[in-house]
Amino acid sequence: MSGNKYCFAIDRGGTFTDVLCICPGGKVRTMKLLSEDPERYSDAPREGIRRLLKEETGEDLAASGLVDTSKIGWVRMGTTVATNALLERKGDPVVLVVNSGFRDLLYIGNQARPKIFDLNIRKPANLYQSVVEVDCRIVPEQKERCQLDHSWKVLGGVAGTKYLEVQPVDEEAVRTSLSAARDQGVSSVAVVLAHSYACPEHELRVGAIARELGFSHVTLSHQAMPMCRVVARGYTGCAEAYLTPHVDRYLASFKSGFDKQLEGVDVLFMQSDGGLTNMENFRGARAILSGPAGGVVGYALTGARETELPLIGFDMGGTSTDVSRYAGSYEHVIESTTAGVTIQAPQLDINTVAAGGGSRLFFRSGIFVVGPESAGSHPGPACYKKGGPLTVTDANLILGRILPQYFPKIFGPKENEPLDHEIARSKFLELQAEINAHLKASGDGRVLSIEEVALGFIRVANETMCRPIRALTQSRGLDTANHVLSCFGGAGGQHACAIAKNLGIAKVVVHKYAGILSAYGMALADVVQELQEPSGLEFSDANGQQLKERLDSLSQQCHATLADQGFRQIELEPFLHLRYEGTDGALMCAPAGVKKTGSSPLLAAYGDFHATFLERYRTEFGFVLQNRKIIVDDIRIRGLGKNETPPEAQVQSSKDGKATAEGTTLIHFDEGSFDAPIYLTKNLLAGHKIAGPAVLIDQLSTIVVEPECNVLVTPYGDLIIDVKTGGKHGINAELDPVHLSIFSHRFMSIAEQMGRVLQRTSISTNIKERLDFSCALFGPDGGLVSNAPHIPVHLGAMQETVQYQLKVRGDSLKNGDVILANHPSAGGSHLPDLTVITPVFYESHPRPVFFVASRGHHADIGGITPGSMPPHSTSLAQEGAAFKSFLIVENGLFQEQQIIERLTTPTAAKGAVGTRNLSDNLSDLKAQIAANHKGIQLVAELIDSYGLDVVQAYMSHIQKNAELAVRDMLRQIGRETLERTGSTVLQATEFMDDGSPIALKVTIDAEKGSALCDFTGSGVEVWGNCNAPRAITLSALIYCLRCMVGHDVPLNQGCLAPIQVIIPKNSILDPSEGAAVVGGNVQTSQRIVDTVLKAFGVCAASQGCMNNITIGDETWGYYETVAGGAGAGPGWHGAGGVHTHMTNTRITDPEILELRYPMILKRFCLRTDQSGGRGQFNGGEGVERDLLFRKPVTLSVLTERRTLQPYGLAGGGPGKSGRNLVVKRDGRVVALAGKTCIDVEAGDTFAMKTPGGGGFGLGGDSSKSGDAEKDSSKRFVERGTVFNYLQAQESA
């Protein structure tokens, strides 16, 4: 950096732009201005530079009238321009080029719906405007398995792999189709062809044609990110094509306001991975986390000098909060989902949650609720004087934690007024009256003051922000308390002490530039050059030389690129993306530091990747696999051009450690109200000590120091806050609406952390990768308290299992016992779902004080077919091993021999065998036991903090609150039904394909908010497997109730308390003990939901099926469920190509499918025959899915709605039923029944059409169906590994 020039680091956020200027001589200036203020300036970053130049030099413009660049050394910036374009879908029109048969591949995606309880399924809007299908296809060779008679050309792929060219590119057709798109004004194209990451020949040819035709932006998916999985790579390529032209226009606009277009100025932009890149290389798909990444770099590089403990970054802004972790190195993820778009690119693991200063405050059914809705920057909080709602910011203002006199006057309609305390107070008075009226009506004699109400919402907001921090640490086996909280962002300082106290964290670090730390991070960051290529090689000594050569080549390219940019100090970081063969859990691994001479070339040159992989795998998953090959998915080099920004200057030292207060202010805390001193941080010196309570003000943020917290100013002017932790919370067992919300979060967090331990320590694909499990917490009576994450078919079902054990075993349960159950008569769903239950004893209490349980889907437990899900079973014995109440652990000892004997002994059914995968069964059962143990530890911590009586009381309070929410809903539905029909009796009957009825009569008491749900009249038990255990019906009811409530409520036994359920014995909904049930879990459950929603008149039927497909032979097996159409409702079209109701299973990526199994996916798209019912609002389309078999296999299908159609509602038409066909290799077409098992030959194709959804209402535009809906009003989006995990769990 030239000594006489001004250097600028800028974070252009959604609301504010932060500018930090390093002046000649080392002086630092900061500025914050609105990101959008078109009446005053066209570009906020440029305006910030201009103002600071004017203030420092007296001159800002060159002779050209543009900003003078002669005094600018460098500009480093992070910007939300790409993020906002993605959120608001304001990128450039894109034409997407895909293989023929896959036009809807990116619309369907992984087929899971975004929000599991939304009947109006809103899928993210497409990034492309139109699609061109290209007649070309490449597939893996699979020489040892493929038995097709073909003469396809062999093509070479990466790392010696071979592919077959099934069909070459039809170049003339490509030209014709792309010319038509170009003539419509589209100038950006994304080419996404299957297996192009490894064999890019077809993509390169199509890309060349597109450039010849004059497309200005051509993105090839294998160049955007050369990684396997065509859907995620396709999203990445599409995002690149969609966003990069938009980013380029912004960059051109930014440069245009500077003299000579910033020529001679070093301009760098922050990427999502925390590294800077030249403005010319700043691409859309790598810019999504541009702003937040700067904050991570800022706290990592400055916080590490204050402590050796790992840091948790806590960046609280206006609409959301970013949480991350730094333990000596940046934590990167290679794939993450933002705004419904999965992007494959190195990204910092930044977890965004819906809790910020603008999060809205609600009081619902007796519980305090914060967010996730946000007031945004416009209208903003109520105190902004623009007609906004009550928010967290308003609560802080009422409590004295925000002082308007120290805030800039930028509020009101003309943005020239101060924060308005009176507006916030008047709205809180209205909310206070509502809350106190509820307390009075419920018999609670307390009257809450306005400050107590505001404080309650702050506590709830704090707990909301604690949950992702616990998930980020405890889920990895880390102790949350063994961290330091690094607080930054405009609103973080008001909450940091309280959050640290809640988490048991004893130290908070607040940098002197905390209010603009993201901008300061830009100044500290290195320039990064990344190169990556796919591999596919086995990690072995034999391949060591080849791996070394590829790393050498990428290293040389990275070094040359950075050297050309003038960097003298360059560091290269090598990575291998490793996974065990047959698994999806790939880990990006840097080598261990020790290089061994005389060893393999790779080890000697780069270090021990194997040791890193084993250590990380054991840390992430709790074990390593023996005698399993390790595969190198990708090879990556991260080159760093090291930053040469001068170090921070130290501040002047204090002589006596006593700081001078500017005055005092009244602040309200949990401990009471205090006259707290006010300090200006600009006046603080190194060594100053301040005891809480106190308020520290700088020009960019406010820091609230809570009672019993102490502040020390460091030599660099940063703040270290010591927080008093531990001690028991002084609350009693009486119901308090604030603590009701807090305990709801804590109970859910316990169930979530149990799930993370189960996922981490399990071994099977079903549990570890598909996340087909559920964990739950139960009260001493076996009643469900919290169930998370939510798999609909598990909701409430485990409660029946726990209560069965109480009934059977009574007082015989002992400390150290663990019970295994899966039998339908003991509350089971179907036999592969094994439930492990642990009774929990506390101190000297003779009976269990609560229970924890985990239910996981085991891939095989014996029976007559692999996978233990035979489509033609007629008895339970044919479906595998059954347990009613088996002590899997007794007196603390795992009963290994006994469980092995039970699992390996075939049932009495003809053709049945024992489990086909005993080792996975045992490993997963031990993982379930470990998950329960984690739950016990976490509840014990809760009891230690609050006392057993309080914890058990709030278990009951949470259940009663769920009951209250359902009663409120039933009262409303009862009144509406009475007004509409003159009666409060609702009835519906649906029929299974075999004619079995599911009948429901609902009688609502609108006064009491209760209902009688009577299934009398439902069909008798069937000779087949579509019998649904009683627990399935209860789960379906809880699911429907939660959907109809329309907002988050605790999902527990309280949901069913207002409802009396009558289910006839020996019926299809409560079969006899030996009846087959595997289809009841996956098919009848869907039809129960249809019946309930039909009775309540909520929406039309969805596909009513999970479309279960099992394929395999004696050596391998594959299982999938396939999406269909969703039902339309009042005001919305049904979504197409999506899973509905009781399932949300993700589907295997086409490239993974074709690499691992002897099949070719010929078609996967929406149906084109108007399968969605017509109406004012149309039902969603089903899908077409065609699988070509490359060798003889056994095909099993377990499907419904192949005869009867999904109903329409309110005059809407029905959706079309599905079809199962086999197209023989000689061209014959054979129709299959809905439930069958057949042997197919090499060359045969299974062609399935799944049902569409029903339509709603008469008339209307029948041409539109299942369209994705935009929601650009929400300027916040959840992201990060915690969010991705929960999304994956909800799509199990």
Side-chain angles (χ1 to χ4, degrees), residues 800-873:
E800 297 267 307
T801 308
V802 176
Q803 291 180 334
Y804 177 88
Q805 307 308 321
L806 274 172
K807 183 168 58 177
V808 169
R809 294 189 174 270
D811 293 336
S812 68
L813 290 169
K814 308 181 297 295
N815 195 8
D817 288 350
V818 181
I819 303 163
L820 171 65
N822 70 340
H823 199 289
S825 65
S829 48
H830 63 170
L831 294 186
D833 281 347
L834 296 182
T835 304
V836 173
I837 305 156
T838 307
V840 183
F841 295 82
Y842 187 73
E843 295 180 346
S844 60
H845 290 263
R847 293 175 60 85
V849 296
F850 57 91
F851 292 82
V852 289
S854 54
R855 175 171 287 183
H857 185 112
H858 287 239
D860 196 291
I861 54 163
I864 61 174
T865 61
S868 306
M869 291 187 65
H872 51 286
S873 57

Side-chain angles (χ1 to χ4, degrees), residues 811-1065:
D811 293 336
S812 68
L813 290 169
K814 308 181 297 295
N815 195 8
D817 288 350
V818 181
I819 303 163
L820 171 65
N822 70 340
H823 199 289
S825 65
S829 48
H830 63 170
L831 294 186
D833 281 347
L834 296 182
T835 304
V836 173
I837 305 156
T838 307
V840 183
F841 295 82
Y842 187 73
E843 295 180 346
S844 60
H845 290 263
R847 293 175 60 85
V849 296
F850 57 91
F851 292 82
V852 289
S854 54
R855 175 171 287 183
H857 185 112
H858 287 239
D860 196 291
I861 54 163
I864 61 174
T865 61
S868 306
M869 291 187 65
H872 51 286
S873 57
T874 55
S875 70
L876 192 69
Q878 294 174 326
E879 296 175 356
F883 305 88
K884 284 187 178 178
S885 184
F886 179 82
L887 278 177
I888 191 170
V889 176
E890 188 171 8
N891 294 321
L893 298 176
F894 182 65
Q895 305 296 299
E896 187 153 1
Q897 288 308 312
Q898 291 89 330
I899 188 63
I900 289 174
E901 183 178 344
R902 287 288 301 272
L903 286 170
T904 56
T905 302
T907 67
K910 182 181 178 180
V913 301
T915 179
R916 301 165 181 84
N917 201 340
L918 178 64
S919 61
D920 278 13
N921 293 138
L922 294 176
S923 296
D924 286 348
L925 286 170
K926 290 175 182 177
Q928 289 178 257
I929 294 167
N932 288 3
H933 183 66
K934 180 65 172 180
I936 293 167
Q937 289 178 323
L938 294 174
V939 178
E941 291 175 11
L942 202 58
I943 292 173
D944 290 341
S945 295
Y946 289 94
L948 178 61
D949 59 333
V950 172
V951 173
Q952 286 190 330
Y954 272 91
M955 286 183 174
S956 176
H957 295 328
I958 290 289
Q959 292 166 339
K960 289 175 182 174
N961 177 256
E963 176 185 344
L964 179 62
V966 173
R967 286 192 186 277
D968 286 347
M969 181 206 71
L970 289 173
R971 288 188 185 100
Q972 181 180 345
I973 289 176
R975 288 191 295 267
E976 291 174 352
T977 304
L978 183 63
E979 184 178 332
R980 189 175 71 247
T981 67
S983 171
T984 55
V985 177
L986 305 169
Q987 297 187 69
T989 301
E990 273 288 286
F991 293 90
M992 304 289 287
D993 276 353
D994 67 357
S996 295
I998 299 174
L1000 173 62
K1001 179 180 180 181
V1002 182
T1003 305
I1004 301 175
D1005 186 328
E1007 294 299 317
K1008 295 181 180 178
S1010 61
L1012 171 66
C1013 292
D1014 187 353
F1015 288 92
T1016 300
S1018 295
V1020 297
E1021 178 182 311
V1022 298
W1023 181 251
N1025 59 27
C1026 280
N1027 302 295
R1030 173 184 169 86
I1032 294 294
T1033 300
L1034 298 180
S1035 294
L1037 269 177
I1038 290 182
Y1039 166 79
C1040 292
L1041 291 171
R1042 168 59 185 84
C1043 290
M1044 289 187 288
V1045 167
H1047 57 78
D1048 282 339
V1049 294
L1051 292 168
N1052 54 49
Q1053 77 166 6
C1055 290
L1056 291 179
I1059 298 176
Q1060 181 185 352
V1061 183
I1062 298 174
I1063 303 174
K1065 283 280 187 184

Side-chain angles (χ1 to χ4, degrees), residues 609-628:
F609 291 96
H610 185 253
T612 301
F613 175 71
L614 295 182
E615 179 187 354
R616 281 202 56 199
Y617 203 92
R618 187 177 286 108
T619 299
E620 289 284 328
F621 304 124
F623 62 91
V624 294
L625 301 178
Q626 302 296 326
N627 304 316
R628 184 81 71 99

